[in-house]
């Protein structure tokens, strides 16, 4: 039932309603709305009950194991949420004077410095509001750099076939032609193919390392040399930083600019689809182009640097200074984990992935890259099961829901057929993973003995398999 | 810190993997790239962390804020964030697995419905990042939608929020879009129709119409919309959603309504929070759906005919269409949308109308009291919503500094933002300000003025 | 699965653990514990997930209609919860100096005054921590009063057969012999029977009005006279105040002392079984005996009055000053509702009960007191269905759970066989009640056509009907 | 304010009832009793309410608290109240309908288990109101349990929390129970064994043994327990649960352990909150179960053999046994128990031990620093947990007032509570105090002393 179905004409949440102001408005009639919008007319209890009950229909980290590859669904500390929700932070206006804002600005400044250290980069701008906007910033910086050098012939951005969809989409938004480079059989970028497409037209390359195939790009130094030699620049998609935190740094690998998904590696909650935060970090060469605002510190006074301070900046990507509430949570997370805690993250995220991969392999699942080390995630392919039993990756995903587990990412990366991209993260225990293996083993058994059971899953969710085709063909987007 | 592993667990896992140490798992990383460790401070137990962070939060607390300028302090009922903070909303991912995400999906569907109704538009997406970026995406979308226009010229009023203009520039410039400035009238603070007419007959892709504009002034949206449509231009309304149960919504502008409505969702349920996270909203007419960026939630049925909700029209999006997507947006601002949905449900149309009206009247009240002070002048005579621009008989920053000392933030100085109108201040009053607050403002303002004039 | 089943030896929530203090304790060994208690050894995520998932197994006001008679399960305002959880309130030590406590003390003082006005009493003590402790206070005050007068022969407390179990239990705790007085056919106290048992041995009577039968005791003035004439006193059990709030006051009816359940009438949440608060209010005669502490106000300074100020007090019933956090929520509720809001409560609570009763009667349910007005609750008896179909009140209660409704109170009051005590409260809508009627109608139909379905309910809960006999016979209270 | 009724609803309901106005529903109330209405202020919208209440809360905020005396400031991890405040825990009733209450029931069962283990006792109930009332109920229970004793005489140490003694008096006096005072030694601050011996051979129903006692001093629990058992008395331990993963628990006292353990649950998960809501706990040996007051949750099975939880042994309780119940308690402190269960799960035994040890060491540290100051003396030389009593070279209240000005609450003055030891102060330090806090205390204390001595 929709909230609108619970509406009764002229019902209101009386406890919230302001006293009716004496109508004495100086606004001429022609500017006014004629009839009221049909928003819900419900009581406070209606609202509380409706949305409390709705929320219970979700799987979430707080209730379920969520091995969604590339998304790093790790535990979101309650302390970070509670501390970031303090009135001092929530009530601050973005244009409050800096003198009255040193508390939050100090947090932001320290976050910038910590992220620079973590990535091996020179300067950080916190403003992008998600990974994709961070990508936009980074690629726009590459563009600005070439333009500043008068290097106008660079019209192509190279993106591996394994890349996340935001990478090519971003390159397009920045006006580049996307050149796809294939992956070789071992999961690395095909260097020959790469060599064949780079040249003076190359603006740069967008890479994730480890890649979305769950393997570390071993030739990264070579790739960096190749790109730099033809005058291109390297963009690092930081969505997978959880794999190498404290072990290796993109800055050392030769990347010139990158974004980080604070809502992944730095444990800020995903909120059912955001808010995230996608800070960008750049080496000295690209730092001048970073989007504004950026924090400066002068004699223990923190202040925002703007376009005046940073004339070469690509400009501003949000009304104010990005998703400060998200940034605060990441800052709190970094402070709580500290050096040792952060180094442990990638260690145990990697150990968990390797362990889960090994156990699933032993249970009969086919690995996409059996001869490689798993990073913090790994790819399983259901190619064989799809062919033999008609049980696809999507079927397995849906069936997992019946066992109380959120599904892994399916059909991404695109180049592996019928794939499941599985990322347990470091905050899950061996015991939880063992239970997951048990469920997967049962599902494999079911695929063999009772494929229909798997094909028609889920059977225990609030709704059965939904008709996506109908949804797209007759779009019903508004009640 | 949040890893559950016991030494025994680790030992067993290493055995399963037939290796001796976790470090071996990193052996594909070239040794030249391995670092010794990070130069960061030691971990802090939650207790110490709490002390440090709370001290910082407390530092910035307790200001009476009369700054608006795109971010507005409205009262948010306690239920909004109590429900929004439930783990099931807070810690779930984008609802790719529809069957395990009906909570968020139905909430977003309800949001789309409320937003479309509030804007009197056909459809709404499930959010953009914030107001400025939603305008940038609207401009890009208008260029895709307006097939007849080739110019990629966008009329952009000077009285739009300056940060919106900058963001649009930064996001649209690679795509060869040209922003043409349209000045405001000195007297009214509204789009200068005479100047606008100069574009008549030219190929204009779209016009951006803010309501209210950055100065808090209401634009003549009906005339502007009809004029633009006559030119074959798409009309993009940028509006304050809190105003929309009082003020005419974009879908009702002129003869045919605006084509795209977008703006900052912050006023309806997001705390000020130093500027974010907020959410941008974006609505359009039915026929433009497939050009809309961002998530869309559709209502459909399962195999038993039971109603359910799912992400739909994903062929617009980057994860399917990649380089040809309508936008690169992926993660958006789902949680803020959840809060907004609960906020709108609690207030309803009448509740929001009262907030809007009370804000307007509070602003009018403060203005009246300030205009009595010698030398204080209202800069624009156009009708306003809950913000107005004043010229003072002394430098704005001096009054600001005096009032800051008393924890009052009197408004935003426009000196550097609109040097053309001189040293002015943009003042906002919402329903959160009591009679006492307004009186206190007047008194301290007046004292500050006198102090300055004496010097 | 118990949290203990998720334990792994030496697992800890590392983010919370303090650094290990250098062991340098001056405490001699013999005072120390030898082996650690076996508390859970789990991670923070384990804890969050375990208890989040557990909570989802509960019915609650935030998720379900909860027509539990005598319990007044109304909406618990979120604002009251959030405001009462502010650090200024939570961090205050009970022995913090009064000068540093004027904020909370002002709230407490105003609450005392408001409750006095609402009940028509002279003085209020906020300290009792639930209804039953309020009862204890009240009856102990009656005892103290008689003792002070040297009136030692009063050994009996009169309690109607319809009374809540806490009434007789309290009388016993206070050293009284309980005399039960029967109810007449119309639901009022049987005055003849009452006359027969009162006399110089009568310490007092404990009454609820409206009674737990959901009817207003019409003879209350006569009863008051009768009791007062023999030298007894009247105790009012305020659990049902929701029925008469703003319409009639116990103080005007002749009661000398009473308690209120703030967790009922004043909307503080029940918390799965507390905390509540049971303030006591007394007329001038009994006021001196009220438990301490009580708030005083002197020149705008609020201070706690103690035994020194109130030498005749029965003393202290809690370590500090009662459940302040609960009291705050009630204070906030009263402030928000104000005069008009509170008067509306009883009006609409009564209207809801009358409406629901009428609709259930029309649906074929038998009312226990068909000729009386319902107060804010009413009694239905399943006597007939129990006899004809073997479907008892308890069966209906369990079956309602399958329809998503919490069950009404069953088998209370004891004198009505197979009864359901139904209290919708004022915060539920007509629409919700209509849905409830629909479910009840279906269940009645089921009772006739498929009684086994009802008898074996619930069928959709996390567990089926539990074996209570086994639970009591082989008590398993500790894992 | 929270009623959903529209005028149409009310009209329809009145029609269904065939009456004209709601007032008719009240026609059984004698008109002599009807009132005109209440003399109370008008309603406040949530926004104004929030302003007023928040101002009051802010008034009392920001004290550094070194007062203990039965209520202890410990750090509570954020997860505790985030989970406890979930609507399903917060707004459910006592779990009478077991099948719809498995969440609370299992939580309480886990609590009973943790508490029994922490106290090293066989069983625990699901809570009492608070520490003092749990002691009162323990005394009543001891009288029921000790069938051999006829005297109803209870040995009550003078060094028990004075509010506990008063509460026990108020609650047990109607039942002819006699509390016999047992003094403490002037030097050690512990129960005076010599005085205790005077009761030897007499009919004593029970003895109350606090650990630590009100002065923070650890009692010789082994000797006391064995002595009492030799007298045929029941031993009631009143202990601080936070101390129990460090300090020997009641179940391990002497040869056979205490018989009943009770106390204040506040230190494990309840905020200070001006004294409540807290929760009392109560544990006992198996054989006394049927004399235990309060709720008990039992593990059982459903018809399919599935494990579930339910209220059990209800024949002890007022709603079944009425006048013959073990107690009149009904509503208890379920939510605080939920918080305590989550708290204990998060900290675990090691976490609690570290908190206890850190508190002890902080107290020791502050004490050492204060003893250096001229004229400051430690009153008792018995071993202490995290509280100690000092005698000052000047009136306590003067030091108190000076330090209060700096938002430090230096401790509790014992002048009126224990006049026999003179003008002393009881100081508590927990793990929440940093080195800086302790140093600041010492400095301000020392300044205050000097200030006073000069006068
Ligand atoms: C590899 C990769 N790159 C980029 C993104 C985009 O990040 P965001 O969703 O924050 O825009 C994601 C997240 O989905 C990702 O997994
Ligand atoms: C009529 C009546 N009296 C007394 C009580 C006891 O109140 P409490 O549970 O707060 O102790 C109740 C509550 O259950 C009740 O319904």
């Amino acid at each position: 039932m929709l909230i609108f179905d619970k509406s009764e004409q002229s019902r209101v949440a009386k406890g919230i309603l302001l006293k009716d102001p004496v109508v004495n408005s100086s606004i001429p009639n022609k500017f006014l709305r004629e009839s009221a919008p049909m928003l819900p007319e419900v009581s406070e209890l209606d609202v509380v009950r409706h949305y409390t009950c709705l929320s219970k229909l979700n799987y979430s980290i707080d209730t379920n194991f969520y091995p969604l590859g590339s998304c790093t669904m790790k535990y979101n500390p309650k302390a970070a949420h509670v501390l970031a929700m303090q009135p001092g932070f929530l009530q601050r206006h973005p244009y409050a004077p800096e003198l009255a804002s040193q508390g939050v600005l100090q947090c932001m400044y320290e976050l910038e410095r910590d992220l620079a250290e973590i990535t091996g980069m020179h300067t950080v701008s916190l403003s992008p509001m998600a990974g994709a906007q961070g990508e936009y910033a980074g690629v726009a910086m590459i563009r600005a750099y070439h333009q500043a050098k008068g290097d106008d012939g660079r019209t192509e951005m190279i993106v591996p076939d394994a890349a996340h969809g935001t990478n090519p989409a971003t390159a397009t938004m920045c006006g580049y032609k996307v050149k796809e480079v294939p992956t070789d059989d071992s999961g690395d970028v095909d260097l020959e193919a790469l060599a064949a497409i780079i040249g003076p037209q190359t603006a740069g390359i967008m890479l994730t390392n480890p890649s979305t195939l769950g393997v570390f790009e071993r030739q990264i130094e070579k790739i960096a040399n190749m790109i730099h030699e033809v005058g291109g620049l390297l963009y690092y998609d930081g969505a997978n930083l959880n794999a190498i935190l404290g072990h290796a740094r993109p800055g050392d690998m030769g990347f010139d600019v990158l974004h980080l998904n604070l809502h992944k590696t730095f444990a800020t909650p995903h909120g059912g689809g955001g808010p995230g935060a996608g800070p960008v970090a750049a080496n000295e060469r690209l730092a001048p182009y970073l989007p504004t605002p950026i924090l400066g510190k002068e004699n223990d006074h923190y202040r925002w640097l703007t376009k005046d301070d940073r004339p070469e900046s690509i400009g501003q990507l949000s009304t104010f200074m990005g998703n400060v509430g998200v940034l605060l949570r990441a800052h709190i997370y970094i402070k709580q984990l500290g050096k040792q805690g952060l180094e442990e993250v990638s260690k145990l995220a990697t150990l968990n992935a390797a362990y889960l991969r090994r156990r699933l392999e032993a249970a009969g699942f086919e690995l996409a890259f059996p001869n490689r080390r798993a990073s913090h995630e790994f790819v399983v392919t259901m190619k064989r099961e799809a062919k033999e039993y008609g049980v696809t990756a999507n079927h397995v995903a849906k069936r997992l829901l019946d066992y109380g587990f959120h599904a892994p990412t399916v059909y991404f990366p695109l180049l592996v057929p019928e794939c499941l991209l599985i990322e347990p993260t470091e905050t899950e225990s061996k015991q939880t993973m063992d239970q997951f293996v048990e469920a997967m083993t049962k599902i494999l058994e079911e695929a063999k003995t009772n494929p229909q059971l798997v094909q028609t899953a889920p059977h225990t969710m609030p709704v059965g398999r939904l008709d996506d085709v109908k949804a797209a063909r007759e779009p019903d987007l508004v009640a | 810190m949040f890893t559950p592993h016991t030494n025994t667990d680790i030992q067993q896992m290493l055995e399963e993997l037939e290796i001796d140490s976790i470090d071996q798992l990193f052996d594909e990383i070239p040794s030249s790239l391995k670092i010794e460790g990070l130069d960061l401070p030691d971990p802090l137990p939650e207790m110490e962390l709490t002390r440090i962070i709370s001290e910082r939060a407390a530092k910035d607390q307790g200001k009476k804020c009369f700054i608006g300028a795109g971010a507005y302090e409205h009262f948010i009922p306690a239920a909004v964030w109590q429900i929004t903070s439930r783990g099931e909303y807070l810690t779930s991912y984008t609802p790719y697995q529809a069957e395990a995400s009906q909570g968020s999906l139905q909430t977003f569907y309800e949001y789309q419905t409320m937003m479309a109704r509030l804007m009197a538009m056909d459809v709404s997406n499930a959010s953009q990042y914030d107001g400025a970026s939603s305008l940038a995406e609207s401009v890009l979308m208008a260029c895709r939608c307006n097939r007849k226009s080739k110019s990629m010229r966008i009329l952009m009023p000077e009285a739009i929020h300056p940060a919106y203009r900058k963001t649009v520039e930064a996001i649209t410039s690679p795509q060869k879009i040209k922003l043409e400035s349209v000045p405001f009238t000195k007297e009214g603070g509204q789009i200068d129709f005479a100047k606008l007419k100069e574009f008549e007959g030219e190929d204009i892709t779209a016009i951006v119409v803010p309501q209210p504009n950055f100065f808090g002034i209401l634009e003549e949206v009906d005339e502007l919309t009809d004029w633009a449509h006559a030119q074959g231009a798409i009309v993009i309304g940028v509006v304050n959603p809190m105003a929309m149960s009082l003020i005419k919504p974009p879908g009702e502008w002129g003869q045919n309504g605006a084509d795209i409505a977008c703006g900052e969702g912050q006023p309806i349920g997001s705390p000020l929070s130093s500027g974010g996270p907020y959410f941008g909203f974006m609505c359009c007419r039915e026929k433009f759906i497939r050009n809309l960026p961002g998530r869309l939630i559709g209502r459909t049925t399962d195999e038993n005919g039971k109603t359910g909700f799912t992400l739909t029209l994903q062929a617009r999006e980057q994860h399917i269409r990649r380089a040809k997507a309508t936008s690169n947006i992926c993660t958006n601002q789902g949680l803020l949308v959840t809060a907004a949905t609960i906020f709108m449900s609690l207030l309803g149309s009448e509740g929001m109308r009262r907030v809007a009206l009370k804000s307007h009247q509070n602003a009018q009240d403060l203005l009246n009291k300030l205009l009595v002070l010698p030398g204080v002048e209202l800069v624009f005579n156009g009708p306003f919503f809950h913000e107005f621009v004043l010229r003072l008989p002394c430098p704005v920053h001096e009054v600001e500094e005096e009032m800051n000392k008393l924890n009052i933030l009197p408004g935003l100085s426009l000196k550097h933002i609109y040097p053309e109108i001189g040293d002015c201040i943009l003042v906002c009053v919402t329903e959160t300000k009591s009679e006492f607050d307004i009186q206190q403002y007047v008194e301290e303002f007046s004292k500050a003025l006198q102090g300055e004039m004496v010097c």
Side-chain angles (χ1 to χ4, degrees), chain A, chain B:
Chain A
M1 234 213 266
L2 296 174
I3 187 83
F4 307 102
D5 300 322
K6 297 178 180 169
S7 274
E8 284 292 314
Q9 206 192 337
S10 74
R11 181 168 291 163
V12 284
K14 284 181 259 178
I16 288 163
L17 207 62
L18 295 180
K19 285 167 206 147
D20 204 3
V22 195
V23 183
N24 169 23
S25 152
S26 62
I27 303 174
N29 257 334
K30 65 169 174 174
F31 292 101
L32 299 181
R33 181 166 193 136
E34 278 163 27
S35 62
M38 298 270 281
L39 297 181
E41 301 183 278
V42 287
S43 71
E44 190 166 324
L45 173 55
D46 286 334
V47 176
V48 167
R49 199 176 278 166
H50 181 74
Y51 292 104
T52 300
C53 288
L54 272 191
S55 77
K56 290 175 72 177
L57 305 180
N58 277 356
Y59 274 15
S60 65
I61 283 296
D62 279 8
T63 50
N64 304 79
F65 179 42
Y66 218 119
L68 196 66
S70 200
C71 300
T72 313
M73 295 297 283
K74 56 167 81 172
Y75 173 61
N76 308 127
K78 293 291 168 204
H81 180 66
V82 169
L83 292 174
M85 294 288 276
Q86 293 182 93
F89 290 137
L90 291 188
Q91 293 167 0
R92 182 184 166 266
H93 192 282
Y95 291 147
E98 278 161 359
L99 258 175
S101 312
Q102 292 295 298
V104 68
L105 296 190
Q106 181 177 4
C107 294
M108 295 299 102
Y109 182 81
E110 289 179 9
L111 178 60
E112 281 185 7
R113 296 325 307 150
D114 290 347
L115 293 179
E117 165 64 17
I118 287 167
T119 55
M121 289 293 184
H122 183 270
T123 309
V124 172
S125 163
L126 300 172
S127 92
M129 292 174 287
Q133 215 191 27
E135 290 177 35
Y136 182 86
V139 176
M141 288 160 65
I142 290 176
R143 196 169 171 275
Y145 172 83
H146 292 312
Q147 270 179 348
K149 293 200 350 187
D151 196 353
D152 291 338
R154 299 191 178 270
T155 55
E156 292 179 359
M157 184 60 66
I158 298 170
V159 176
D161 55 359
H164 192 263
T166 49
N167 294 180
T170 299
T172 304
M173 266 183 96
C174 276
Y176 285 116
K177 200 148 89 211
V178 173
K179 280 280 171 189
E180 231 185 46
V181 57
T183 302
D184 69 19
D185 288 345
S186 68
D188 289 332
V189 167
D190 183 332
L191 289 199
E192 274 177 44
L194 180 64
I197 56 171
I198 58 177
Q201 76 287 8
T202 303
I205 188 169
M206 301 180 79
L207 275 182
T208 320
N209 195 14
S211 74
T212 58
L213 301 167
V215 297
F216 191 86
E217 176 57 66
R218 291 168 291 192
Q219 326 263 24
I220 182 59
E221 290 163 303
K222 204 173 280 175
I223 295 173
N225 279 336
M226 286 167 70
I227 299 292
H228 282 147
E229 260 168 32
V230 298
L233 295 170
L234 283 90
Y235 182 84
Y236 179 83
D237 174 340
N240 289 342
L241 192 77
N242 216 48
I244 56 167
L245 204 58
H247 282 82
R249 307 192 302 177
D252 303 335
M253 297 177 199
F255 287 97
D256 300 287
V257 55
L258 57 79
H259 86 264
L260 297 172
N261 298 66
L262 300 187
H263 43 304
K264 298 183 176 185
T265 314
F266 298 94
T268 72
H270 280 82
V280 267
N283 58 17
E284 268 195 271
R285 175 148 56 158
L286 282 186
Y289 305 99
L290 281 164
T292 54
I294 289 181
L295 264 158
K297 182 179 176 184
E298 284 156 15
N299 314 321
D300 279 331
H301 174 83
Y302 301 94
R303 73 176 190 88
W304 289 110
L305 307 175
T306 61
K307 189 97 182 174
D308 295 342
D309 305 284
R310 305 186 61 87
E312 292 175 278
S313 165
I314 57 160
Q316 185 165 339
L317 297 174
S318 57
T319 318
F320 301 107
M321 40 281 287
N323 285 340
V324 178
V326 180
L327 300 166
L328 270 173
R329 285 168 174 79
H331 169 63
I332 292 166
Y333 178 78
I334 292 173
K335 272 195 105 68
Q336 186 167 17
L337 269 72
K339 172 183 166 57
Q340 295 82 347
L342 289 171
E343 288 167 14
E344 197 189 52
V345 162
S346 53
K347 278 209 172 82
L348 295 178
T350 302
L351 178 63
N352 273 3
Y355 173 77
L356 184 53
R357 185 174 94 135
R358 169 67 59 101
R359 295 248 10 235
L360 286 176
E361 187 182 18
F365 287 89
E366 189 178 336
L367 303 180
F369 299 96
N371 300 321
R372 297 293 307 272
R373 287 276 186 222
S375 65
H376 65 312
E377 61 189 357
F378 60 95
V379 183
V380 160
T381 170
M382 304 297 298
K383 198 171 50 180
R384 195 177 53 207
E385 288 78 9
K387 204 167 142 202
E388 290 181 17
Y389 319 114
V391 168
T392 66
N394 197 41
H395 293 147
V396 173
K398 297 296 181 196
R399 184 63 182 146
L400 269 169
L401 304 179
D402 285 333
Y403 284 95
F405 296 107
H406 194 278
T409 299
V410 286
Y411 302 109
F412 175 77
L414 304 177
L415 64 156
V416 183
E418 294 296 339
C419 69
L420 299 170
L421 178 58
I422 302 176
E423 179 182 8
T425 86
E426 75 282 4
T427 62
E428 298 290 342
S429 65
K430 174 176 174 298
Q431 289 70 24
T432 300
M433 291 188 292
D434 288 344
Q435 288 157 16
F436 180 76
V437 171
E438 212 176 290
M440 285 290 278
T441 308
K442 279 196 201 142
I443 294 173
L444 197 56
E445 189 57 32
E446 290 169 356
K448 291 172 190 165
T449 58
N450 187 0
Q452 216 213 321
L453 180 68
V454 184
Q455 287 156 348
T456 55
H459 304 287
T460 60
M461 293 284 101
V463 290
R465 187 85 60 85
L466 289 168
D467 190 341
D468 286 328
V469 176
K470 178 179 163 189
R473 202 168 292 157
E474 313 154 21
D476 169 358
L477 308 176
V478 164
Chain B
M1 227 18 59
F2 299 108
T3 51
H5 301 69
T6 65
N7 287 339
T8 318
D9 289 336
I10 294 177
Q11 224 36 62
Q12 286 174 355
M13 290 163 84
L14 291 175
E15 275 165 31
E16 179 80 32
L17 290 164
E18 296 167 81
I19 55 175
D20 301 325
S21 83
I22 296 178
D23 284 339
Q24 271 173 267
L25 297 172
F26 291 89
D27 58 10
E28 288 190 359
I29 302 183
S31 57
S32 53
L33 292 179
K34 284 207 187 137
I35 56 169
E36 275 310 301
L38 298 167
D39 182 15
L40 290 174
D42 285 340
L44 288 176
E46 187 181 326
M47 181 178 82
E48 290 172 35
L49 180 75
T50 300
R51 179 164 38 214
I52 291 171
I53 301 294
S54 303
E55 276 169 17
R56 292 187 187 174
K59 250 193 198 170
D60 302 347
Q61 200 172 341
K63 312 286 176 255
K64 280 195 191 161
C65 177
F66 291 82
I67 309 178
Y72 301 100
E73 183 182 80
H74 289 293
F75 178 71
I76 304 176
V80 173
W81 282 92
Q82 284 288 296
I83 309 292
T84 304
S85 294
R86 284 174 59 84
E88 295 95 323
Y89 275 131
L90 189 65
T91 72
S92 57
Y93 199 76
T94 301
Y96 291 127
Q97 289 295 339
E99 298 84 358
S101 314
Q102 288 296 301
S104 292
L105 284 165
Q106 182 175 332
T107 303
F108 298 159
Y109 179 85
E110 293 179 355
Y111 162 80
Q112 290 174 183
T113 304
M114 292 181 203
M115 219 60 203
R117 293 180 181 181
L118 191 60
M119 297 297 148
M121 300 294 286
D122 297 330
V123 291
S124 162
N125 76 2
S127 77
Q128 301 293 129
Y129 300 129
D130 74 348
S133 63
S134 77
L135 178 56
E137 289 275 15
S138 296
V139 165
L140 294 175
M141 176 176 166
C143 294
R144 290 191 297 272
C145 291
N146 195 341
R147 302 263 173 87
K148 290 198 206 113
S149 164
K150 300 274 164 290
S151 71
M152 310 270 266
R153 289 170 77 199
I154 310 289
L155 300 186
M156 183 69 83
E158 282 177 6
I160 196 147
H161 195 305
Y164 281 43
R165 190 177 31 224
K166 286 185 204 161
T167 303
V168 172
E169 267 163 25
I171 295 181
T172 65
S173 61
Q175 305 201 22
K176 312 213 166 57
I177 287 168
K178 289 171 287 292
L179 306 181
E180 308 276 2
S181 274
V182 183
F184 51 88
T185 60
K186 288 243 148 36
E187 311 72 37
Q190 295 165 314
I191 288 179
D192 187 337
F193 223 85
K195 292 276 163 67
L196 194 64
K197 289 257 166 82
E198 294 174 9
F199 292 98
E200 209 150 279
E202 297 184 15
D203 178 355
I204 298 294
T205 306
I207 181 171
V208 172
V209 179
Q211 186 72 328
N213 69 23
F214 183 67
F215 303 129
I217 302 287
L218 295 170
E219 297 281 0
E220 300 281 355
V221 291
D222 296 326
E223 288 84 338
L224 290 167
T225 301
D226 289 342
W227 177 86
H229 279 157
Q231 311 307 309
I234 279 189
V235 175
I236 303 171
V238 190
V239 305
N240 178 342
M242 183 54 98
M244 286 300 116
S245 51
L246 179 66
I247 304 290
K248 192 182 284 183
E252 297 175 1
W253 293 354
Q255 296 291 314
N256 298 312
D259 304 285
I260 298 172
C262 67
E264 178 56 76
Q266 177 274 328
I268 51 173
S270 303
L272 285 175
S273 191
S274 289
Y278 297 168
F279 70 96
F281 62 87
M282 212 169 151
C283 297
C284 70
R285 322 187 142 274
E286 182 94 46
K287 63 179 171 187
F288 294 141
I289 292 184
R290 278 160 220 272
N291 278 301
L292 197 58
R295 310 278 182 213
L296 286 173
I297 282 74
R299 179 160 60 175
T300 183
T301 47
D302 71 4
E303 63 258 304
N304 303 315
K306 191 171 173 190
T307 298
F309 303 87
T310 185
L311 289 169
T312 193
L313 300 179
Q314 300 187 57
R316 301 163 299 110
E317 293 191 68
Q318 46 71 30
H319 61 287
I320 305 289
R321 192 64 71 81
R322 300 180 71 85
K324 302 207 169 63
T326 53
S327 163
N328 71 341
I329 194 168
C330 178
T331 292
N332 52 35
Q333 308 285 116
L335 198 71
L336 291 309
V337 159
T338 303
T341 310
I342 299 174
F343 181 93
M344 286 189 275
S345 298
L346 281 171
L347 272 81
S349 151
E350 178 59 16
M352 285 173 66
R353 193 186 66 82
R354 292 195 187 176
V355 169
L357 203 53
K358 180 79 187 163
S359 300
H360 170 69
Q361 295 197 341
N362 276 349
Q364 185 73 61
D365 187 25
L366 178 61
L367 175 63
N368 293 346
K369 289 182 169 138
L370 293 178
L371 285 181
V372 172
L373 302 178
V376 176
E377 280 171 32
L378 184 64
V379 174
F380 302 116
N381 64 14
F384 66 89
F385 174 45
H386 62 7
E387 272 173 299
F388 51 82
V389 180
L390 293 182
R391 192 169 287 118
L392 311 188
C394 70
V396 165
H397 74 92
E398 293 178 357
V399 173
E400 245 185 314
E401 279 158 24
E402 281 309 304
M403 291 178 76
N404 284 349
K405 285 183 201 153
L406 301 155
N407 281 327
I408 302 173
L409 313 182
L412 184 71
S413 162
L414 299 183
K415 187 170 172 188
H416 300 288
I417 314 181
Y418 286 95
E420 62 268 42
I421 58 171
D423 185 15
C424 294
I425 184 169
L426 177 65
V427 181
C428 174
V429 198
T430 66
E431 89 287 3
T432 58
K433 300 301 174 292
S434 65
E435 267 177 59
F436 174 86
D437 297 332
I438 291 173
Q439 199 49 50
Q440 188 193 21
Y441 185 109
V442 175
E443 278 162 27
E444 300 306 336
F445 190 87
S446 145
K447 273 189 221 157
L449 281 187
Q450 280 162 25
E452 292 318 317
M453 314 238 282
V454 169
C455 313

